[in-house]
Structure formats: structure tokens, C-alpha cells
Amino acid sequence: MSATAINESNVKNLWDDSIVKGMTGVERLVYRSNCLGADQRITNTGGGNTSSKLSEIDPLTGEEIDVMWVKGSGGDLRTSKQENFSSLYYSKLLALQEIYDKQPERGPKTAAEDAMVGYFPHCTFNLNPRASSIDTPLHAFLPAKHIDHMHPNSAIAIAASRRSEELTQEIFGDRIGWVPWLRPGFELGLLMQRKVQEHPSLQGLVMGQHGLINWADDDRECYELTLSLIDKAAQFIDSKDKGEATFGGQKYETLDDDARDAILVELLPWLRGQVCQQKRFIGTLQSDPRILRFVNSHDAVRLAELGTSCPDHFLRTKIKPLYVDWNPQEETTEALKEKLSAGLAQYRQDYKAYYEACKHENSPAMRDPNPTVVLIPGIGMIAWGKNKSESRVTAEFYNCAVEVMRGAEAMDEYIALPQQEAFDIEYWLLEEAKLKRMPPEKELERSIVLVVGAGAGIGKQVAHRLAKEGAHVVCADLNAEMAEATANELTKIYGQGIGVAGTGISGCGPAIGVGVDITNRESIQAALQQTLLAYGGLDNIVVTAGVFLPPSRDGKLSDKAWQLTFDVNVRGSYNLVDEARRIFEEQGLEGSIVLTTSVNGVVGKKGSLAYDTSKAAANHLVRELAIEMSPLVRVNAIAPATVIEGSTMFPRDRVIASLTKYEIPFAESESDEALCSKLAQFYAQRTLTKRPITPADQAEAAYFLLSSKSSKTTGQIINVDGGLHEAFQR
């Protein structure tokens, strides 16, 4: 077909012959997959499969053989590379049918069908370690060389309509067939094979309650066929669009951005505490026009209760969302909380009843009964996941579910997957095994940490150390640009994540940067608001911000300098903890706070009177806050000695002044790094360990105090000073 026939408002043809020229067959498969995955209208994140049957040289025999390359388990088309595809001897895959035919009790959802997945590794070509997807038979048993199995909203809308088979015929004619719902696997592959054998001219199939699969013997032709079918379905839906009557018309009005954010800031800590009774979740907020049109509508209550249709959707979104019928124009936030509280209780009861009614003797234990999607009129959607990427995927999938419902209701009537079928996907033993194969979660993967002072020095190192443990890091600093630079570094290292949802700052990855002045409560409130809107809550705080103002040559310090020293080093930390207290209390989740004091707080010396006194006060602030915040939040501190490396408190002129003071030889031409190293080595000789103290040393101590390893420790100040005996606690 011609690419010009495609309406680019529905899909976009990204194929470029100049790019694929000279590529191997596998490289072309990866390219095709990336083009398909790049368009959210074609398939959702992590969803869909592509395959190519290619000629390869058998490493054992040296002969040319047919090998099927297919997207492996857990892959994402948008980001996939060759290593994300499994490769299997095609002849061996076909031979599996003979093994299956010999099973005495074969059929859909039987042990025999599931057992066939265990044979896939025996078909592996060239020791490829990528595990095969459960969709492998769908590609193996269809004869075409190139196959695309996508989850476009327009096609799923057809698949999830009551008159799905008739609509397929009406829209596509005889070129596209239809098969009823069957759980992905061996039986579905055989059903498709029979369908094509009966109708060899078919170019694809609409899969009831599931999606679209189509094929061709040329890879570009397959790609463009995929686009044309999606476009055709979308155009048909558009022709039936109900306009303002979509979803029965609007029942409520959307709140303006400021009103919405104010409600969310008040609501989110409490709501996060409610849904995190078993495990912590990270939130993503979605308030785009499409989701708002749904949550504000008359039909939202009915459709939300039906749940989702496509199995890829409800593996993330659960059997259904929690919809709260709250009037944003007339009811208060307190009324919203009351309705949410009742709704959550009912949701958990419903989920337990669903589990009890559908479970089998060998079903895994019931999972967390709390919703992962919460829908609120006037506000939008709040999605939850174990980390930011997961929650963005959850939001993305429910966005897709809403569009599926819109399309199905425009053409016909939306129907959800039957509960038993949904359960058999959600609690499928093969899916359970897949979950168990996943690497263990990192220590802070479900945590949100605010690091103040993250623009440089110790704070920056702390941000990197915590992100390494999976933390979602809010990098805060008086210098907002430096905070954002640190956040960008973390996002570059750990990736934005695979989800594509999230409104405003909530579309972020594992880190954000914000400006904050901890001497100003309004500035602190703004930073905490950004934290809540980005991630939905707050678990830990680390404060590394501090100031040292040197006295004049005669040893004097102005009243203004004294005030600023105490404002930053003492009152700033108190301000921050005091403002965050409501969040911790509303969540009801255990947290941890780490402040930064100094060994100067217990060592008297000449030349830093205000600084040393402020740090002594900060030490006692730690003890007082530990009492104030108990038993929910632990409060501890790290007490560094002179950390030169990367510190904004040691600019070049101060380093030179110190080198001169201590009569350490240096040359004006030496670099900042060389001068700092000399001073650090000098200070190191004062310690018992004789080694310079680095930001990484402080970061390691801060991580320890946040982690479960110190769960019984609070009110303590840990010296990280190399061993200054003058600073030993008395």
C-alpha cells in the first residue's frame, strides 16, 4: 500500500529506505520494531510483538536454515535492540506441535499448554539468552515471513465491542479475519493457524478482547499494512464519534490548574498512605483533556466499574480502577477524602471477592488489594507503581483503556474481559514465574528522597549514592540551575523510564531539580509541592546545605553574618522538617531524616565562632527533632570534618588563604584541584586514619542512616571525619 494513503493524525509512517539500506534482516526487524513502538497510537509501552523469519547460517552445520527472530519476554518495542529479541530454529518450533498433539489433556489453559513454554529454550538458535515470549506460537504458526502484533487503541476498541466480529467485517472486509478471545499461548497460535489455512488470503486478524495481528512477506509491506489497518479503524471510529455526547456528556467541570494542584498537595500524602498499606508506591498524575473528559462524564461510573479489556492493560491497572463520584464544584476536599476512604474500603472488599471467586487450587497468594488507578472528577487520574517508570506505564495504560472505551462506545457497546479470564491472566503461573525471575528490588526503589544542597559537594554525592539504590531524588539547592544539573545527570545515568504518561512535572523520570531557600518557608513549601506533584509523597530528607562566613582580619563577624549562619545551619533545617511534618503524618509511613552538622560542633577553636556555635546547636536540634518526630520518623546526622573536594564552602581564595595560614607551599599557577588536594592532605594528617575526607564518605554514611540497616537508630550524630580524637563524643 502507499504511505500517502495514511492519515497522519492517526499514525505516522517513519520508514526510511535510506536508513535500512545495507542492514541485516535482524537489524531491519529492530528498526521496524522501533518505528512501531515510537508511536503510542500503535502500541503501548512494553506491549506488542514483532517477528521475522530469516535465513541464518547454523553454527553447528554451516548450512543455511530458517530462524525466527521475535521480541523476547519483557521487551519494549520503542527501545528494543537486537539483544531484546529471541532467536529460534523455525523447524523446531513447528515440530513442537507434534509434541503437543501427543498430550492427553491438552487445550486452552491446561497444564499441557503452559508446559509448552518450557520447550522454547530447546529451540534456541546460537545460544541466544533472551527468554521467549508467551506470544511466540502466534508468530511461529502463521506462515508469513514478517508479523506485527500490536495493541492500537483503535483496533482494541473493535476487539472490545459487543459486535466485535461484525465490526471487523464491516471495517476491513475479507482481508482481515477475527478470532475470539483466548489467552495468549499455544492454543491461540493453533487457532490462528487454522483460520489462515481456511482463509489463505487473509492479511491479519482482530483478536477478540486483545488486539491486532497482521503479516506480509516483505518487512516494509508488513509495517505499512500495520499502519493502514490502524488508520482505517481510527477513521471508522472518528466517523461515529459522538462529540460532546461522548461518554454520555459532561457531568462535572475541570478545576483550573491552581485549584487542582492545591487539592492534590493536600490530598496526595494521605492517599499515598492509604494505598501503601502493604507496599510503598510512587505516583504519577495525569490530567490531559482525554482523561478529564472521561472522569468528568456521566458514563464514567459505569465504564470504570467494568474494568479494562486488553490483558496488557489490566496487568498494570488491575481488574478495575477506583472511581470517586465527587463533585469538584460543590464538595470540599474533606468530602473527597471521606469518599475515597469509603471507596478504598469497598475496593479492597471487591478485590478480595474477585480473588476468592476466581482462584484455583494452585493460584498464587492474593496480591495487594489496593487500586493502582484512582479517578477523580475535575482532577484526573492518579496512578501508582513500584517506581516512577512503573507508575507512568500504569497511567499510560489506563489512558489507552479510556480511548478503547471511547472507540467501542462510539461504534457499539464496550464490554470488558470476563472476570475469570482476567483473573487467569493476572494470576497466571507463567506470569508469576516471570515476576519471580525479576531481579530483587533495590533498597530505596520505592522511596522518594529530598536532598537539599544537591547542586554540589556532599549533597551532589548523596544524590548520586541514593539514586544508585533506586531512590527517586528531588535535587534541591539554593542554586536551581545546579540542582537541575544534578537531576539531569541522574536521569542520564538511570534513564527516564519506559512509561510515556504524566502531566507537567509528574512526567519526570527518577530525579527532578528544584530551587529552595531553606531560610524561607514559602520557598520550602513550593519545593515540597513540586515533590508531591512529581512523585506523590515523601519518604526521606537529607540536608547538606550549610554556610561558613569567615570573620574579618581582626576576628569579628557582623550581626548580619551571625544571623545568616544560624538561619541556614540551624533554623533552615528546622523549617524544612517542620514544613514536611504534615506530609509524614498524613502518609503515616515510616521515614528518615539526615541532617548535616560538623565535628566543629564539639571542638572549640579560633576563627569560626559563629559557624561552630551553629553546628553545636544543630547537633542538639537533631536530638530534639528525633523526639518530636518519633516514632514515625527517625532523625540523625552526619558530622563531617573539613571536606575540601567539590565543596562550595572552599572557593579558591579560601583554599589559598588556608594554605598561606598553615605555611603550605603552593604556586599561584596551580589548578583549583591541585590546591584543594594539598589542603585536604594537610587536614588528613590531623586525623587518626591519615586520609582525606571526601563527599563520597559522607554520602555512604547518609545512605546508611536512611536505609533499613539503621532502622533502630535515631537522635544520633555520626562523625565522618577520618578520626579526630578531639571530636570524640563525650
Side-chain angles (χ1 to χ4, degrees), residues 24 26-27 30 56 69-70 79-87 128 130:
T24 65
V26 179
E27 290 169 342
V30 173
E56 304 280 2
W69 291 82
V70 61
T79 57
S80 283
K81 299 177 181 178
Q82 182 170 330
E83 57 263 31
N84 298 114
F85 288 80
S86 59
S87 54
N128 186 344
R130 175 59 59 180

Side-chain angles (χ1 to χ4, degrees), residues 413-489:
E413 179 185 351
Y414 172 76
I415 58 171
L417 199 63
Q419 282 204 350
Q420 188 63 60
E421 295 297 330
F423 180 91
D424 290 345
I425 288 285
E426 185 179 355
Y427 284 89
W428 196 357
L429 292 179
L430 292 180
E431 287 290 346
E432 183 73 8
K434 182 178 175 181
L435 292 173
K436 289 182 177 179
R437 288 198 303 269
M438 296 180 71
E441 292 182 15
K442 295 180 179 179
E443 170 85 21
L444 299 178
E445 185 167 339
R446 294 175 179 266
S447 296
I448 304 154
V449 187
L450 172 63
V451 179
V452 179
I458 294 173
K460 184 172 186 174
Q461 196 69 47
V462 167
H464 276 268
R465 182 67 184 91
L466 301 183
K468 186 178 179 181
E469 298 299 329
H472 302 80
V473 185
V474 179
C475 303
D477 200 280
L478 185 61
N479 187 320
E481 290 184 359
M482 292 175 66
E484 290 171 4
T486 300
N488 291 338
E489 288 175 11

Side-chain angles (χ1 to χ4, degrees), residues 558-621:
S558 68
D559 289 348
K560 186 176 180 180
W562 265 89
Q563 182 69 49
L564 180 59
T565 300
F566 270 75
D567 280 351
V568 175
N569 295 348
V570 187
R571 191 168 64 85
S573 291
Y574 171 74
N575 290 344
L576 180 60
V577 175
D578 191 47
E579 291 292 338
R581 183 194 296 256
R582 180 192 72 86
I583 297 175
F584 287 117
E585 291 176 347
E586 287 280 304
Q587 284 183 154
L589 303 174
E590 292 184 354
S592 181
I593 295 171
V594 177
L595 305 182
T596 303
T597 65
S598 171
V599 295
N600 285 24
V602 294
V603 177
K605 68 179 191 304
K606 190 176 181 64
S608 54
L609 179 58
Y611 179 80
D612 294 357
T613 308
S614 74
K615 290 301 183 179
N619 280 345
H620 200 59
L621 177 67

Side-chain angles (χ1 to χ4, degrees), residues 138-159:
L138 282 58
H139 296 260
F141 301 160
L142 291 169
K145 289 185 177 180
H146 306 282
I147 299 173
D148 293 339
H149 165 37
M150 299 293 112
H151 294 146
N153 295 336
S154 59
I156 301 176
I158 299 169

Side-chain angles (χ1 to χ4, degrees), residues 192-205:
M192 290 180 172
Q193 183 184 59
R194 292 193 298 271
K195 191 77 173 182
V196 174
Q197 288 171 348
E198 294 167 2
H199 306 279
S201 63
L202 286 176
Q203 296 175 291
L205 294 165

Side-chain angles (χ1 to χ4, degrees), residues 20-139:
V20 299
K21 186 178 180 180
M23 283 185 175
T24 65
V26 179
E27 290 169 342
R28 288 173 71 102
L29 171 61
V30 173
Y31 174 76
R32 182 173 107 234
S33 304
N34 294 161
C35 288
L36 291 166
D39 192 337
Q40 191 184 357
R41 298 166 298 183
I42 292 174
T43 197
N44 44 255
T45 296
N49 300 91
T50 51
S51 68
S52 290
K53 301 178 181 78
L54 305 170
S55 293
E56 304 280 2
I57 300 300
D58 191 329
L60 295 177
T61 66
E63 297 177 352
E64 192 172 281
I65 53 156
D66 290 333
V67 172
M68 188 178 83
W69 291 82
V70 61
K71 191 198 82 170
S73 178
D76 172 53
L77 290 177
R78 184 173 74 251
T79 57
S80 283
K81 299 177 181 178
Q82 182 170 330
E83 57 263 31
N84 298 114
F85 288 80
S86 59
S87 54
L88 306 107
Y89 286 94
Y90 188 47
S91 60
K92 292 184 178 181
L93 279 175
L94 294 180
L96 293 181
Q97 293 186 37
E98 297 178 18
I99 297 175
Y100 185 64
D101 287 343
K102 295 176 182 177
Q103 305 305 309
E105 295 183 7
R106 62 186 183 276
K109 296 195 288 188
T110 60
E113 183 189 28
D114 284 358
M116 296 310 295
V117 176
Y119 286 96
F120 294 162
H122 296 285
C123 303
T124 299
F125 169 77
N126 204 20
L127 303 178
N128 186 344
R130 175 59 59 180
S132 299
S133 164
I134 57 174
D135 284 328
T136 296
L138 282 58
H139 296 260

